[in-house]
Amino acid sequence: MKWEDFNRWFNRSFWRAFKNRTFPIDLPKTAKDKEATVRAVFEAVKSARYAPSIPEAEIVMNKGHGVARTIPVFCIEDYIVYYFCIKELEDVISGNRTDHTFGGWSLGGTLRKMEDLDVEFDTGFSSARYSFNPRAWQQAFGEFNSLLFSQLKTGAYTHILQFDLSNFYDCVRLDILERWIREDAPADKGWIIALLFYFLNQWNRRNTGLHPQGVGIPQDALADCSRLLANYYLQKYDKFAAKLCTQAGANYFRYADDQMLLLNGTDRIEELMLLLTRNLDRQGLRVNQKKVDLWTVKELEKHRCRNIQAIFAKPGDNKDAKLVRKFVDAYFKLSDAQLSKTWNGGLPLLNRLLWANIESLPQSLFNKLLTRYTSPKYLLRAEKDKLIRVHELNAKRKKPINLNKRIIDLGDSTFHNGFHHEALAFAKEIKNAAMKKAFAKRLKDLDEKMDDNRISP
């Protein structure tokens, strides 16, 4: 391995992912320091002295009802190794895509500002929040949904069967994954595959001890490397599922592990699920039986609020004052009970409006909308960019609320530190020293509680 071949991947596309990070990680500050860090990793790999470290930190997200999703934050040296391996194997693991499946887009890409992106289905995915390019996840999901509903518009299908996989990343069998990659990769990539699986076997030593991890890939803070591996792991299943659906007169769609079968009738469902779940079982994967839903086309369109989302049909429509008013009026026509039955409780609608020209609304309607954005429910799920936007909008009210105090109070009352990292990054962005100090202290206290497994007095 030559230094030039190793170093070529660590340009701006790599380092910019860490520029606006909200997770804790020690990084080299200057271009000279960055090159020295990459070179040190190169020398360690070349001399066989490289060993994965235990993750520097853990971000804990609230999946609902207090259930924790732990997101490891690797040290920069481990990210360099993981990224290098995936970039070297990208042509192997990103190719061979089945139509209507999404999850294998390449690393990097052009970053876009939030306010320049109008995405119909922004649900605030926790897995996308810390990726190399969070907007790419949303763009791919938007493309997935556009294609899905364009197929439904043809009238060829009457029902949609929706399901996802249970603990997908945690169930990926590394022996199967390695065998498949070796079968598809050129022989000269053998040592890179060995390095990749050395990392995947050893990164979780805090939990596995000296035993190599045999099942599961990390759902880490920069999720794109694992996302590509997870997508690759499903490619053989994709071909099987697509062929099976064609035989049944159905159409197969997948985004990440969320699958939708477009059906003309319901008589083939049991047979399809029998064969699909047996195939998944051979790969160590299970369908989450509590998340299997059967929709008619009208039911799915209503659930996804398609009639409201369609108001912003073209790029730039979210800046048109008349269309913004029409969208907001349609949103508020939904009662709280109706909204709770829509997808993610109407959060995609609120997220789409956040970046629209809502400043053009009458003050009473603007204030009514800001009440939603400044609610604890919304703030606790918002990342830094959304907190900044809410902060800017709140300042435009005739009587702004004390948003900073509300965010600090939320930090004092919640225990999952994912929110605190976003709030700390927000405090740094708006240069609020008191808030920055409060969240730094709260994060330290929470880390100590988790390390000690200690309940608050």
Side-chain angles (χ1 to χ4, degrees):
M1 176 179 58
K2 296 180 180 179
W3 160 246
E4 294 77 14
D5 295 334
F6 188 87
N7 187 50
R8 63 184 172 136
W9 300 120
F10 303 102
N11 49 28
R12 289 183 181 179
S13 182
F14 174 79
W15 292 108
R16 71 185 178 193
F18 301 93
K19 184 179 180 181
N20 295 314
R21 70 194 183 281
T22 59
F23 53 86
I25 183 172
D26 290 328
L27 293 170
K29 292 180 172 54
T30 67
K32 184 178 180 180
D33 291 341
K34 290 173 183 176
E35 182 175 346
T37 300
V38 174
R39 184 174 284 279
V41 174
F42 166 76
E43 294 295 343
V45 170
K46 188 176 179 180
S47 63
R49 290 185 173 89
Y50 167 74
S53 300
I54 290 173
E56 286 196 352
E58 291 180 341
I59 300 168
V60 185
M61 310 289 291
N62 188 347
K63 294 174 64 177
H65 305 289
V67 177
R69 169 180 286 166
T70 301
I71 300 170
V73 180
F74 301 135
C75 66
I76 188 59
E77 290 81 3
D78 287 344
Y79 276 120
I80 288 170
V81 168
Y82 200 11
Y83 187 83
F84 167 74
C85 292
I86 297 302
K87 289 300 292 184
E88 286 286 334
L89 296 169
E90 196 168 32
D91 290 344
V92 175
I93 60 181
S94 292
N96 206 24
R97 172 178 172 264
T98 298
D99 288 343
H100 305 164
T101 62
F102 295 81
W105 63 89
S106 62
L107 297 177
T110 302
L111 284 171
R112 299 175 68 184
K113 294 180 180 179
M114 260 294 216
E115 58 267 29
D116 296 333
L117 190 66
D118 176 37
V119 180
E120 180 174 343
F121 293 106
D122 174 10
T123 61
F125 291 120
S126 60
S127 54
R129 180 175 291 185
Y130 305 109
S131 66
F132 281 97
N133 188 353
R135 310 304 162 242
W137 290 68
Q138 295 168 352
Q139 287 174 298
F141 197 53
E143 184 181 347
F144 165 81
N145 280 282
S146 296
L147 188 57
L148 173 72
F149 284 105
S150 68
Q151 288 289 315
L152 295 177
K153 273 186 179 180
T154 65
Y157 307 101
T158 61
H159 291 79
I160 303 95
L161 185 68
Q162 180 180 7
F163 56 95
D164 66 13
L165 302 179
S166 181
N167 301 315
F168 173 38
Y169 277 45
D170 294 334
C171 295
V172 172
R173 283 184 50 183
L174 296 183
D175 59 335
I176 293 177
L177 180 62
E178 181 175 5
R179 172 161 51 86
W180 286 347
I181 292 177
R182 288 190 180 278
E183 288 173 356
D184 291 341
D188 63 353
K189 300 291 185 182
W191 73 271
I192 296 171
I193 298 170
L195 177 62
L196 171 63
F197 282 89
Y198 174 58
F199 169 77
L200 292 175
N201 289 146
Q202 300 295 332
W203 74 269
N204 199 23
R205 292 196 309 279
R206 175 179 289 164
N207 298 317
T208 64
L210 296 179
H211 298 281
Q213 178 156 318
V215 180
I217 56 177
Q219 205 160 355
D220 61 290
L222 284 175
D224 284 305
C225 293
S226 292
R227 182 256 305 166
L228 279 170
L229 291 176
N231 186 74
Y232 174 82
Y233 195 73
L234 288 176
Q235 284 185 348
K236 293 183 186 298
Y237 167 76
D238 286 338
K239 293 189 179 302
F240 174 81
K243 182 178 180 180
L244 198 66
C245 284
T246 299
Q247 293 173 5
N251 205 336
Y252 172 70
F253 277 74
R254 176 179 65 78
Y255 177 87
D257 68 321
D258 190 15
Q259 301 171 53
M260 288 191 170
L261 309 185
L262 279 54
L263 308 166
N264 187 11
T266 60
D267 55 317
R268 298 287 186 90
I269 291 177
E270 186 174 347
E271 188 178 8
L272 277 168
M273 289 301 288
L274 166 68
L275 297 175
L276 290 175
T277 51
R278 285 184 73 245
N279 186 276
L280 287 166
D281 186 66
R282 291 168 183 159
Q283 301 175 28
L285 304 177
R286 304 285 187 276
V287 168
N288 187 341
Q289 65 187 57
K290 294 182 179 179
K291 291 187 177 181
V292 179
D293 294 301
L294 179 65
W295 311 91
T296 65
V297 173
K298 287 185 177 180
E299 286 172 343
L300 183 62
E301 289 176 340
K302 183 179 179 181
H303 182 64
R304 295 288 183 92
C305 301
R306 285 289 291 173
N307 61 325
I308 300 177
Q309 295 281 16
I311 294 170
F312 293 163
K314 303 187 302 294
D317 281 354
N318 66 337
K319 305 304 178 184
D320 185 310
K322 291 182 180 179
L323 294 178
V324 171
R325 175 64 185 270
K326 185 178 180 181
F327 195 114
V328 172
D329 286 342
Y331 171 77
F332 280 120
K333 279 183 180 178
L334 295 173
S335 67
D336 289 344
Q338 289 173 320
L339 202 58
S340 68
K341 294 178 182 178
T342 66
W343 190 38
N344 275 270
L347 183 63
L349 297 174
L350 273 179
N351 282 339
R352 196 173 190 193
L353 275 172
L354 183 64
W355 307 103
N357 181 23
I358 59 176
E359 292 93 333
S360 65
L361 295 169
Q363 191 67 31
S364 61
L365 205 53
F366 178 79
N367 287 337
K368 189 176 180 181
L369 197 55
L370 261 289
T371 301
R372 301 285 175 101
Y373 287 127
T374 56
S375 68
K377 182 179 179 181
Y378 188 85
L379 293 173
L380 284 170
R381 297 183 67 176
E383 63 265 32
K384 180 194 73 172
D385 288 343
K386 291 189 175 76
L387 292 175
I388 292 170
R389 174 64 171 161
V390 172
H391 171 76
E392 293 169 348
L393 292 171
N394 180 58
K396 295 177 181 179
R397 302 168 93 173
K398 287 185 178 179
K399 294 182 179 180
I401 68 164
N402 191 339
L403 181 63
N404 293 347
K405 182 179 184 302
R406 179 167 294 185
I407 291 173
I408 291 173
D409 289 345
L410 283 173
D412 289 340
S413 62
T414 190
F415 298 93
H416 297 74
N417 68 15
F419 170 73
H420 301 82
H421 284 294
E422 297 297 330
L424 178 59
F426 165 69
K428 292 176 180 177
E429 187 74 21
I430 66 171
K431 296 179 171 60
N432 187 310
M435 181 185 287
K436 179 180 173 182
K437 182 178 179 181
F439 275 99
K441 182 179 184 302
R442 179 63 171 157
L443 276 167
K444 182 180 178 182
D445 291 344
L446 289 174
D447 286 344
E448 289 175 355
K449 287 179 190 295
M450 287 191 290
D451 288 343
D452 296 342
N453 290 312
R454 172 167 49 87
I455 295 290
S456 302

